[in-house]
Amino acid sequence: MALIWSAVVAFLVTNTDDLILLMLFWGIVRTVRDRTIVIVGQYAGILSLVAASWLLSLGFMTVPTKWVGLLGLLPLTVGVVNLWKWVKRPQAVTEATAEEASTVSAISGKLSVALVWSVTVGDGGDNLSVYIPFFVHQPLWRMVTIVFVFIVMTAFWLWLSNRLVQTKAIAHGIERFGTWLIPCLFIIIGLFIILSSGLF
């Protein structure tokens, strides 16, 4: 039980920001395919961070941390492209046309496992700093337990973030401001990943 609670705490401490990122992704989900992409991308990102931390704790892998910053180029590009489309969109459009030309829908069409994965991993610097010392000297059975806890917690995180997005205030905010706010958030996330890595 002590190991399980330690794993839960490690997950909560390092993935609070992920809750916000997941809310951003759920805000642009429009189809069952989009939903599947968010789930698969989040799991791929979390498991990649766990695998990298474990290998680093064993001394089997050395990765220059700064190169992780390159992952920020993907959300940055998506944000810039869709913000530019929103700026170029004619101002005098009917409500129906505006809905069809929605930048939120445009980003949804570009939603991919690679995008969700890159944001999760790129924003995971704090994860590595906690996971590596936590994984040191852990026998295999304890690592299996930790991974199982992380899988369950990721499922809970996906459910919780989805529920939060469905609250009236957040849903109304996404509907009203999402066409320009969501691309801006992608740009901020991309820049944060790039700059915090020390790549430049």
Side-chain angles (χ1 to χ4, degrees):
M1 286 304 299
L3 176 64
I4 290 174
W5 282 115
S6 297
V8 169
V9 171
F11 184 93
L12 292 175
V13 166
T14 56
N15 288 286
T16 305
D17 49 352
D18 255 13
L19 192 64
I20 299 170
L21 294 175
L22 282 171
M23 288 171 62
L24 171 61
F25 284 122
W26 286 129
I28 59 177
V29 162
R30 293 292 178 269
T31 64
V32 174
R33 175 183 171 276
D34 293 340
R35 181 180 295 272
T36 303
I37 284 172
V38 171
I39 294 171
V40 173
Q42 179 67 11
Y43 268 109
I46 293 294
L47 292 176
S48 294
L49 288 169
V50 170
S53 301
W54 184 53
L55 291 173
L56 285 165
S57 71
L58 295 175
F60 289 159
M61 187 176 72
T62 55
V63 180
T65 311
K66 63 180 183 179
W67 294 114
V68 176
L70 292 174
L71 295 174
L73 293 175
L74 190 50
L76 177 62
T77 302
V78 170
V80 168
V81 168
N82 285 282
L83 186 61
W84 177 246
K85 285 181 180 177
W86 178 79
V87 170
K88 286 181 65 178
R89 193 184 68 194
Q91 296 301 314
V93 291
T94 64
E95 198 171 306
T97 306
E99 187 176 344
E100 290 173 5
S102 169
T103 306
V104 177
S105 298
I107 295 181
S108 174
K110 291 181 173 59
L111 199 60
S112 66
V113 172
L115 176 60
V116 180
W117 174 84
S118 66
V119 169
T120 304
V121 174
D123 192 49
D126 56 338
N127 297 55
L128 295 177
S129 64
V130 172
Y131 296 167
I132 293 171
F134 183 42
F135 293 165
V136 170
H137 304 311
Q138 297 282 15
L140 184 58
W141 71 269
R142 290 174 69 93
M143 279 302 305
V144 170
T145 303
I146 292 169
V147 170
F148 176 76
V149 171
F150 280 21
I151 288 172
V152 172
M153 289 299 298
T154 300
F156 173 67
W157 234 226
L158 286 162
W159 173 83
L160 179 60
S161 57
N162 191 21
R163 292 293 295 179
L164 289 172
V165 166
Q166 292 176 25
T167 59
K168 283 187 178 180
I170 296 175
H172 178 69
I174 291 173
E175 183 180 346
R176 184 173 181 184
F177 304 110
T179 51
W180 60 269
L181 181 59
I182 289 177
C184 287
L185 290 175
F186 271 103
I187 292 171
I188 292 169
I189 290 167
L191 289 173
F192 175 78
I193 292 172
I194 293 169
L195 298 175
S196 64
S197 68
L199 188 61
F200 299 105

